[in-house]
Amino acid sequence: MYVPAADRYDRMGYRRSGRSGLALPALSLGLWHNFGHDRPLDRSSAIVRRAFDLGVTHFDLANNYGPPYGSAEENFGRLVRQDLAPFRDELVISTKAGYDMWPGPYGNWGSRKYLLSSLDQSLRRMGLDYVDIFYSHRFDPDTPVEETMGALDTAVRQGKALYVGISSYSPDKTRRAAEILDELGTPLLIHQPSYSMLNRWIEKELLDTLEELGVGCIGYSPLAQGMLTDKYLGGIPEGSRASRNDSLSPDLLSDAALERIRSLNEFARGRGQTLAQMALAWTLRDSRMTSTVFGASSVEQLESSLGALERLDFSPDELAEIDRHAVDSGINIWEASSRA
C-alpha cells in the first residue's frame, strides 16, 4: 500500500489563484504525454507517487490526452484508486474539453452539448464524482461565448466541478468570459495559456487583464515542446518529437532558434541549473503566475524538473541577459485559438 512522504508539504511553494481561496503548487504535473496506454502503468504510477511525495498536489488532464484519446484519464483513474483515493481531498484534479474527442458535430469545440457530455465521460474514465477544475480548452468562434460559459456554470451547479477555467483565450475574450461567469455566479478561477521563454505572448496584455480580473494564470508548454532542454543542442535526435513531427515541427528548430537556445543553456549553466530548470523557474518569476504545468517521462526527469524550485530568484541583470535570447520564436501552435 502506498504511503506518501510525511514531509511532502515542506519543500513545495503554493500560490493563490488570483483572488480565489485556492492555492496551487508552483509546479503542477501535466499528463498530456507519457500517461497513455502506450506507456507502462507502473512507470506512470512511480511518477505520480513521487510527484505527490514532493508536494505536487495538482494533476492536469484533458479528455483527449493519451494516446489513444481518453487513456490518460483512464490510467490516472486507476492510479487514484490504487494509490491516491485516501488523499483525494489533498488533490486538485483538472480536466478540459474543447479539442476533437469523438466523431461528428458534437465531439469538438465549445457547445454546451459537447462540454457537459465530455465532462461526464471524463468523470467515468477517472472514477471520480467531481473534478476540481473544468476548463474550456479553447475559444470557439462559432458558439456564443454565453453558451460555453453557461456550460461551465452548469458543471459547477451540478456538483461535477468545483471551479472553472479557460485555456488559450485572447485578452478580450477572457474579459468577456469572466464577465459572463460573474453574472452567473461562478467566478472564473484560472486561465491556462502556453508560455515559455520562446513564446511570450501573454506578457503583452493577458497577464494585466488577469490581474485586473483577479484570475489566476497557469502556464503550459514551459519547455517549448522540449526545445528548452538539452535535447536539441546538437541538432534533432532520432525518436524526438521534432524527428516525428509530433507537436513540434522540425522547421521551428532553425539555426537562429538553436543559437538562442544554446546561449540560454550556457547562461543556465552559469546559474548552476540545467536549461530546463532555468526555463521552468523563469516562468514563475512573475507573481501573477499561479503555477506552471510540466510533464515527466520518468521519475528522474520529474525530480530534475522540480529542482527548478531551488533557484527561483533572478537579478535584474540576469533577466536582462535572458531577454537578449528569450524572444518569441513563432512556436505558439495554439495561436489560432488565442486570437479567434
Side-chain angles (χ1 to χ4, degrees):
M1 179 178 293
Y2 167 63
V3 178
D7 63 349
R8 58 188 176 276
Y9 295 114
D10 292 352
R11 288 163 286 185
M12 176 64 70
Y14 299 87
R15 302 180 177 194
R16 296 280 176 183
S17 181
R19 289 194 288 267
S20 78
L22 184 68
L24 297 179
L27 290 175
S28 300
L29 184 63
L31 278 67
W32 181 14
H33 300 286
N34 306 312
F35 290 86
H37 289 339
D38 61 334
R39 302 299 174 99
L41 187 63
D42 59 348
R43 183 186 304 172
S44 299
S45 174
I47 295 170
V48 168
R49 284 182 173 193
R50 186 59 177 152
F52 189 49
D53 283 344
L54 294 173
V56 176
T57 55
H58 179 210
F59 298 90
D60 182 74
L61 299 106
N63 57 357
N64 63 358
Y65 287 178
Y69 287 177
S71 60
E73 289 183 330
E74 290 175 357
N75 284 337
F76 185 71
R78 293 187 180 100
L79 300 181
V80 169
R81 292 189 293 274
Q82 171 184 301
D83 297 324
L84 299 177
F87 315 102
R88 175 65 182 96
D89 292 337
E90 297 183 45
L91 305 177
V92 173
I93 300 171
S94 61
T95 196
K96 316 176 197 72
Y99 286 93
D100 62 300
M101 183 60 192
W102 62 83
Y106 316 123
N108 206 342
W109 293 102
S111 72
R112 179 180 183 86
K113 180 171 178 60
Y114 172 48
L115 293 182
L116 294 178
S117 297
S118 179
L119 178 56
D120 284 342
Q121 292 181 19
S122 292
L123 292 175
R124 285 196 296 269
R125 281 191 290 268
M126 290 187 283
L128 300 176
D129 295 325
Y130 70 95
V131 292
D132 297 273
I133 308 172
F134 181 50
Y135 287 90
S136 166
H137 207 167
R138 60 171 167 173
F139 177 75
D140 181 352
D142 296 321
T143 297
V145 68
E146 290 84 357
E147 178 177 339
T148 302
M149 295 305 108
L152 297 184
D153 172 68
T154 295
V156 172
R157 294 185 184 279
Q158 290 178 338
K160 297 175 181 178
L162 300 185
Y163 301 91
V164 298
I166 58 177
S167 179
S168 296
Y169 278 51
S170 65
D172 61 319
K173 298 297 189 299
T174 296
R175 187 178 299 278
R176 181 59 184 143
E179 290 173 351
I180 295 167
L181 286 169
D182 279 344
E183 292 169 0
L184 293 170
T186 298
L188 177 61
L189 173 79
I190 199 162
H191 188 299
Q192 186 173 138
S194 59
Y195 185 47
S196 73
M197 290 195 290
L198 302 180
N199 178 18
R200 303 181 62 166
W201 72 278
I202 70 173
E203 297 174 357
K204 295 178 181 178
E205 187 180 351
L206 183 61
L207 282 174
D208 288 339
T209 299
L210 296 176
E211 182 178 31
E212 177 187 340
L213 296 172
V215 174
C217 186
I218 178 169
Y220 70 89
S221 197
L223 303 183
Q225 302 289 72
M227 292 175 67
L228 291 170
T229 69
D230 59 7
K231 183 178 295 183
Y232 298 106
L233 295 175
I236 300 177
E238 187 65 30
S240 64
R241 289 188 201 177
S243 70
R244 303 189 306 268
N245 200 8
D246 177 16
S247 73
L248 177 60
S249 169
D251 296 337
L252 298 177
L253 290 161
S254 64
D255 290 342
L258 287 172
E259 184 60 33
R260 288 193 290 270
I261 292 167
R262 293 182 184 116
S263 296
L264 289 168
N265 180 63
E266 286 301 311
F267 190 78
R269 290 177 60 186
R271 278 173 50 88
Q273 293 178 303
T274 66
L275 174 56
Q277 288 171 338
M278 185 178 79
L280 288 166
W282 180 90
T283 65
L284 296 169
R285 75 198 187 285
D286 192 313
S287 62
R288 294 172 294 184
M289 293 296 296
T290 306
S291 182
T292 291
V293 176
F294 73 103
S297 60
S298 66
V299 169
E300 293 74 21
Q301 189 178 74
L302 172 92
E303 293 176 340
S304 178
S305 293
L306 290 173
L309 300 174
E310 298 174 6
R311 182 77 194 279
L312 293 177
D313 60 301
F314 290 89
S315 71
D317 288 344
E318 286 180 315
L319 291 175
E321 178 62 22
I322 289 172
D323 281 344
R324 292 182 55 221
H325 312 289
V327 298
D328 271 299
S329 301
I331 64 170
N332 186 1
I333 61 177
W334 306 274
E335 186 173 13
S337 291
S338 303
R339 298 186 182 281

